[in-house]
DNA sequence: CTGAAAGCGCTAACAT
DNA sequence: ATGTTAGCGCTTTCAG
């Protein structure tokens, strides 16, 4: 950027003895320009090493061709899957992506929102951090007419467009499956219940127990931070309780892996003594022993859908106002860790 | 961006009855502007909801404040760690990051390079894809004076600045460790030997064998694509060979996990029958059983160093020409999967 | 189908 | 310490 002169449309125009307007039009493939002049222009542009100046263009058009991606953290399989999906779609559509992650901090999330706002993204795809309870920092986008799509961790009870899975159903199915396997005291290890995803899964868990006439024991519900340590600690806590538990629905595969490992180290057999269901279907799920029953959470798909929906809205192909909630399929994948009854490999 | 008028420095200037130049200077915190006027300007800017127009600025200054990040793929732990490190540093320094991944394809890599070049990134951080054998697509950056730093998969034999670990040493240490544990026939599962990382690890492997007076059997060296399937297939291939093997140095933890799982399914004990060393120290390494001995490959650190070095160069604090190779520490982490002799948990 | 010219918002000489 | 002004490269009316 510093050395050497950049070729501009003026250089091309004067070389070809035509006007910059024509060059500008030709470069955008405007049908109003004749094939002949277009050809000349393209060839010379290529030859001279011309590259469009996106700043000049954005300055003029007031469009940035940039999409902001706000995520609670960047170091999980799920987060990366979503990013992968988003990146795929935005790249294909010719948009740049600015990534900002909050490390689960509300303050950082606010700062990121401000930054992306100042960078004038054309649209925003966001997942909330753990402790976000206020949503004023998204208002500036709405005020300016910048579309926002939430995914996974979404702001509930508002007219936002959100892309989610049916977390209630997933929680219900996971718990029901454990009950079907003969579990009567099912623990639930989850995270901040202010976030829709965990709240909904918890609700599914509770309803499944109730629907099967099982008592619920709040001592079996542990809220932690989805770290590996959380899995280890939770296992220890549950093992210390007098009343035994025979199943666990854990809202994250990594936590589940650490949990199972800890159980095994303490002589508890999985699934014989305790059946376990995880969440996400991370790659780790089928590599540990026993392989982990889990809920498939298709991050790539979620990212693709969020990005595609946003871009369609930006381009005016569709309208976000018309749709509020996009629900992506998620399924229970049964592997060894939960099969008390019919044992089998997957 | 579309609705509502944006506030510009002209609005602030006319409101305050001063010149735009002063406003511009004040906003950049230029010491030449008096404290008093600065204060007035900041307050009004805040009140009016002013936000700098980065396009106008970039158009003027010819600086984009953007850094390009080219990576071979985005779906590995290592890749994400590097991204995390890069993102941290660039964000702190006020740079935007444009991410482009090649999915291990040379053609895509070329296209990405072109795109980032056209977007006029101020600098580039890149890791090469599998089959990249030609490097012309990086020439355009050098010609324009845009600094490029390679990491991990680097272009060798050139005067590029590269950030790497000592792959030779890592390969040597891993192999030596297996030999120390009593292994005599050590397999090596690796990937495309055109890439420096795998070539160097292989060289370390060979030298360690030689230095210990062990024969090398090329049938024990398998080149594959780092997929999970590669781990499974490799295990089957090795098991089919008449001559037994008693150790394996595998250039990727995920492959190693699948490899070990396959061995176990075939009644082979790890580490008793076959000792295994992986590479990367992914989270999975200590969650599988037996826990996996591996080489710690600090991706976050690598990303941070690459980004910091690049930015220092851009800002003129230091000069890339002066340094060619930055080597990051990596160590062997001994866990259960390799300990034939003294068993112990980690 | 092509051209002339204004202007997007900012910065940096060059004045004062 | 502050002001004037040209110009970064592009798009887009408006005219022809």
């Amino acid at each position: 950027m510093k050395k050497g002169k950049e070729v501009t449309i003026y250089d091309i125009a004067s070389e070809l003895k035509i006007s910059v307007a024509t060059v500008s039009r030709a470069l955008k493939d405007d049908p109003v320009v004749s094939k002949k002049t277009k050809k000349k222009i393209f060839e010379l542009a290529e030859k001279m090493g011309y590259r469009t100046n996106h700043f000049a263009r954005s300055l003029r058009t007031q469009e940035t061709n940039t999409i902001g991606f706000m995520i609670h953290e960047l170091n999980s399989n799920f987060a990366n899957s979503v990013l992968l999906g988003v990146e795929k779609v935005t790249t294909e559509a010719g948009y740049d992506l600015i990534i900002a992650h909050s490390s689960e901090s509300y303050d950082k999330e606010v700062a990121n929102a401000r930054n992306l706002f100042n960078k004038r993204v054309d649209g925003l795809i966001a997942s909330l951090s753990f402790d976000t309870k206020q949503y004023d920092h998204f208002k500036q986008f709405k005020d300016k007419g910048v579309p926002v799509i939430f995914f996974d961790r979404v702001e509930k009870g508002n007219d936002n467009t959100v892309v989610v899975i049916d977390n209630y159903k997933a929680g219900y199915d996971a718990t029901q499956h454990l009950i079907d396997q003969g579990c009567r005291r099912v623990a639930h290890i989850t995270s901040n219940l202010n976030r829709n995803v965990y709240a909904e899964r918890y609700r599914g868990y509770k309803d499944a127990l109730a629907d099967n006439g099982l008592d619920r024991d709040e001592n079996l519900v542990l809220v932690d931070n989805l770290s590996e340590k959380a899995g280890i600690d939770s296992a220890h806590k549950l093992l210390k309780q007098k009343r035994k538990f025979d199943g666990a629905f854990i809202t994250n595969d990594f936590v589940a892996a650490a949990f199972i490992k800890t159980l095994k180290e303490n002589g508890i057999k999985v699934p014989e003594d305790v059946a376990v269901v995880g969440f996400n279907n991370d790659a780790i799920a089928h590599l540990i022993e026993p392989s982990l029953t889990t809920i498939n959470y298709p991050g790539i798909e979620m990212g693709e859908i969020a990005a595609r929906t946003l871009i369609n809205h930006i381009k005016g192909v569709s309208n976000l106002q018309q749709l509020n909630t996009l629900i992506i399929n998620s399924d229970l994948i049964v592997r060894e860790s939960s099969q008390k009854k019919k044992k089998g490999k997957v």
Side-chain angles (χ1 to χ4, degrees), chain A:
Chain A
M1 301 285 337
K2 279 147 194 168
K3 303 173 191 165
K5 268 272 146 292
E6 286 290 338
V7 180
T8 73
I9 56 173
Y10 284 91
D11 300 327
I12 297 179
S14 70
E15 185 87 347
L16 253 32
K17 303 202 194 320
I18 55 178
S19 78
V20 289
T22 303
V23 177
S24 172
R25 290 185 189 112
L27 258 16
K28 282 171 33 196
D29 214 14
D30 190 321
V32 89
V33 181
S34 79
K35 299 255 187 256
K36 265 177 59 183
T37 36
K38 254 189 205 169
K39 185 151 177 286
K40 280 195 306 191
I41 290 168
F42 278 126
E43 282 174 3
L44 185 62
E46 169 72 12
K47 185 169 148 234
M48 295 178 77
Y50 169 81
R51 44 179 187 167
T52 33
N53 187 317
H54 294 275
F55 309 108
R57 173 180 291 170
S58 285
L59 179 58
R60 194 43 235 255
T61 61
Q62 305 285 59
E63 280 179 11
T64 68
N65 250 271
T66 296
I67 285 173
F69 183 68
M70 291 179 57
I71 188 153
H72 42 90
E73 39 93 354
L74 219 41
N75 54 11
S76 80
N77 206 308
F78 173 71
N80 288 306
S81 300
V82 178
L83 176 56
L84 212 61
V86 169
E87 199 256 8
K88 178 163 178 286
V89 173
T90 53
T91 302
E92 278 170 6
Y95 283 81
D96 280 338
L97 202 59
I98 303 186
I99 296 168
H101 73 121
S102 63
S103 308
E104 300 286 14
S105 141
Y106 167 71
D107 290 342
K108 261 197 152 189
E109 185 177 300
V110 172
N112 287 340
R114 172 125 209 97
N115 181 40
L116 291 178
F117 181 68
N118 287 338
K119 293 276 166 58
R120 304 179 192 215
V121 294
D122 289 337
L124 187 66
I125 297 173
S127 172
L128 301 171
S129 68
F130 257 153
D131 57 350
T132 299
K133 279 171 196 148
Q134 224 200 310
Y135 310 99
D136 285 356
H137 49 302
F138 292 108
K139 197 161 164 296
Q140 52 194 335
F141 294 99
K142 290 170 195 166
D143 289 349
K144 284 273 183 209
V146 178
V148 179
I149 287 194
F150 292 95
F151 70 94
D152 188 46
R153 312 255 201 94
V154 305
E155 177 186 355
K156 49 188 170 179
N158 216 316
D159 61 347
N160 296 303
T161 298
V162 302
V163 183
V164 289
I165 59 166
D166 189 338
N167 284 288
Y168 171 79
K169 180 174 175 297
Y172 192 101
D173 289 352
T175 310
Q176 181 66 53
H177 169 69
L178 287 170
I179 296 169
D180 289 345
Q181 294 295 317
C183 297
R184 287 298 166 264
R185 284 181 50 76
V186 178
H188 181 35
I189 300 170
T190 185
S191 194
N192 195 324
L193 293 174
N194 281 318
R195 286 278 74 84
N196 62 304
V197 286
Y198 309 116
E200 288 293 297
R201 291 170 200 175
Y202 178 46
R203 203 161 63 77
Y205 161 80
K206 285 193 295 191
D207 281 4
L209 293 185
D211 288 355
N212 286 274
L214 294 177
D215 285 340
R216 185 154 51 83
D217 181 351
E218 283 302 330
N219 292 321
L220 292 182
V221 178
L222 302 178
V223 173
D224 209 317
N225 65 356
L226 304 188
S227 67
E228 219 180 294
K229 187 166 175 302
I232 298 169
D233 291 351
S234 301
H236 286 142
K237 271 187 207 154
L238 289 173
L239 289 174
K240 251 187 265 166
Q241 298 185 14
K242 282 132 279 173
R243 295 192 58 191
K244 290 248 171 76
F245 69 108
D246 55 12
F249 165 40
I250 303 178
T251 201
N252 176 293
D253 281 347
F254 252 92
V255 177
F259 182 84
I260 290 177
K261 191 163 195 239
T262 308
L263 288 189
K264 283 163 71 180
E265 285 165 5
N266 285 273
I268 310 292
K269 280 187 189 141
V270 178
E272 292 81 357
D273 301 332
V274 174
V276 178
V277 175
F279 212 104
N280 280 7
N281 195 24
D282 282 347
I284 195 178
H286 62 272
L287 287 174
I288 60 171
E289 280 183 51
S291 60
L292 183 63
T293 295
T294 189
I295 302 281
N296 185 39
Y297 196 169
I300 294 185
E301 210 182 323
M302 181 168 264
E304 287 181 0
I305 288 179
R308 197 162 293 130
T309 308
L310 183 68
I311 289 174
N312 282 345
H313 175 81
I314 293 174
K315 295 203 168 155
V317 178
S318 68
N319 197 321
L320 285 191
Q321 261 65 280
Q322 293 166 4
L323 36 85
N324 234 285
T325 306
L326 288 161
I327 296 180
I328 296 184
N329 252 344
S330 64
D331 308 289
L332 181 74
I333 298 179
V334 178
R335 295 204 182 90
E336 295 164 357
S337 70
S338 66
Q339 301 204 50
K340 288 201 183 206
K341 290 189 166 167
K342 30 187 181 306
K343 293 255 325 176
K345 299 229 167 179
V346 175

